[in-house]
Amino acid sequence: MRKSHPVRRAVLAGAATVSGIVLLLSLKPASDPGSAQAAGGQLPPAAAGQAPQGGVNGAVTGDAVQTQYGAVQVRLTMNGGKITQAEAVQAPKGGRSDQITASSVPRLNQAAVAAQSAEIDAVSGATYTSAGYKKSLQSALDKAKASAGGAQGSGNAQTVTGDVAQTQYGPVQVRITVAGGKITKAEAVQAPKGGRSDQITSASVPRLNQAAVAAGSAEIDAVSGATYTSAGYKKSLQSALDKAPAGGGSSQAAGSGGGSSQGAGSGGGQAQTQTLTGSVAQTQYGPVQVRITVAGGKITKAEAVQAPKGGRSDQITSSSVPRLNQAAVAAGNAQIDAVSGATYTSAGYKQSLQSALDQAGG
């Protein structure tokens, strides 16, 4: 038998080696992150705005977002840190808005559950509603993230977004990062803009951000020449601090009745007291916003930090709000009766109260 030539054997061996490598590469697991991305799949959760995986349970209500056609507000139901249900508790209504809302909101709700984040596509023909929905959804996720951070320990960084504060020149909204019980970062995610407001905002907001970090509270001085922006900033900042979970250490209330998230009594192991501000509820006669103090899982104090005013509203507010405050403390929840003659104020009060309770996890 004729022997194979050494060169021929080398060529055959090389070809076999190449074939083996190709075969091995073709058997590479599909779970490889690179292949998932190439196939159009999603990488493991890492992006900001994703539903927190810290075991958050219960309802979380996002901030009410004002759009050109009305307010949008999203409430999430979460189980084990995952969004199991999304619903719009407020959406534009009246005229053509009814048709757009009925068509778009169910699709946005489904998208939120599917994406587990605020990174969802706008619904065609519902641009403003979609934008407001996504913003309120992100706010709800921020609140859930803060709650998850509080449950895991005060050493974790938490991002909390305050309520929108309306000023004469435009809305102001503040977002803070809290770590180890201290504000490590403050930023204005909304501020007055257009005309002279651009100059005032660019000059004042960086100083307000620095002041918030330095003070660790909303007790900061107004910037000269930016009175309205400063007032709105402080109000939204206080709201963010109120939302920071107990144990965060920085949620000291500004202004009168300033409670803080410190342990009740001198014994450090006792139940903690939280001051929580609900979202602003828009009514036919003006905004309503409720702040509650919770200790040992019970509402110990309720107050309306905003209520309809001017003309006959002053009389209705002064008569109804004290009764609503008492009812909230007595009931320990938002299932309270409306005050006769103050239907709109009562409805707004209950909505804001429920938002505050959602933040408390109750």
Side-chain angles (χ1 to χ4, degrees):
M1 179 181 293
R2 190 173 61 180
K3 293 183 179 180
S4 300
H5 195 279
V7 174
R8 184 180 180 187
R9 286 201 303 271
V11 170
L12 291 173
T17 301
V18 170
S19 299
I21 292 172
V22 170
L23 179 61
L24 285 174
L25 289 175
S26 68
L27 295 175
K28 189 176 183 181
S31 60
D32 177 69
S35 64
Q37 188 176 28
Q42 293 183 345
L43 294 177
Q50 192 139 13
Q53 302 299 312
V56 178
N57 294 295
V60 186
T61 304
D63 295 335
V65 177
Q66 297 300 325
T67 77
Q68 187 172 329
Y69 297 100
V72 181
Q73 188 173 31
V74 178
R75 176 177 292 161
L76 303 177
T77 301
M78 307 192 74
N79 186 9
K82 294 184 177 180
I83 302 172
T84 59
Q85 182 181 357
E87 56 183 325
V89 293
Q90 287 192 71
K93 57 186 177 181
R96 179 156 160 68
S97 291
D98 290 337
Q99 182 181 349
I100 294 174
T101 292
S103 170
S104 62
V105 166
R107 295 165 64 182
L108 291 166
N109 291 338
Q110 292 175 352
V113 175
Q116 293 292 306
S117 77
E119 296 297 325
I120 59 178
D121 292 332
V123 174
S124 178
T127 306
Y128 291 99
T129 298
S130 299
Y133 187 101
K134 292 170 67 175
K135 190 171 183 181
S136 183
L137 171 58
Q138 182 61 58
S139 167
L141 290 171
D142 287 342
K143 294 175 184 179
K145 184 178 179 181
S147 296
Q152 293 170 1
S154 61
N156 292 334
Q158 305 146 31
T159 302
V160 189
T161 304
D163 295 334
V164 176
Q166 296 295 334
T167 76
Q168 186 173 331
Y169 297 100
V172 180
Q173 188 175 31
V174 179
R175 176 176 292 157
I176 58 173
T177 302
V178 180
K182 295 181 179 180
I183 301 175
T184 58
K185 182 181 180 182
E187 56 182 327
V189 292
Q190 287 194 71
K193 57 185 177 180
R196 180 156 159 67
S197 292
D198 290 336
Q199 181 181 349
I200 294 174
T201 292
S202 62
S204 63
V205 166
R207 294 167 63 182
L208 291 166
N209 291 338
Q210 292 174 352
V213 174
S217 74
E219 293 292 344
I220 58 178
D221 293 332
V223 174
S224 177
T227 306
Y228 290 100
T229 298
S230 298
Y233 187 101
K234 291 169 68 175
K235 187 174 183 181
S236 184
L237 172 59
Q238 181 59 56
S239 168
L241 289 170
D242 289 340
K243 294 173 185 177
S250 63
S251 52
Q252 295 181 350
S256 59
S260 64
S261 299
Q262 297 175 355
S266 58
Q270 295 184 13
Q272 298 210 340
T273 299
Q274 289 178 277
T275 301
L276 302 159
T277 304
S279 300
V280 177
Q282 298 295 334
T283 77
Q284 186 172 333
Y285 296 100
V288 180
Q289 188 174 31
V290 179
R291 177 176 292 158
I292 59 174
T293 302
V294 179
K298 295 182 179 180
I299 301 175
T300 59
K301 182 181 178 182
E303 57 183 325
V305 292
Q306 287 193 71
K309 57 186 177 180
R312 180 157 158 67
S313 292
D314 290 337
Q315 181 181 349
I316 294 174
T317 292
S318 62
S319 169
S320 63
V321 166
R323 295 165 63 182
L324 291 167
N325 291 337
Q326 292 175 352
V329 174
N333 59 42
Q335 299 302 316
I336 58 178
D337 293 332
V339 173
S340 178
T343 306
Y344 291 100
T345 298
S346 299
Y349 187 101
K350 292 169 67 175
Q351 184 177 322
S352 184
L353 172 59
Q354 183 61 57
S355 169
L357 288 169
D358 287 343
Q359 295 169 33

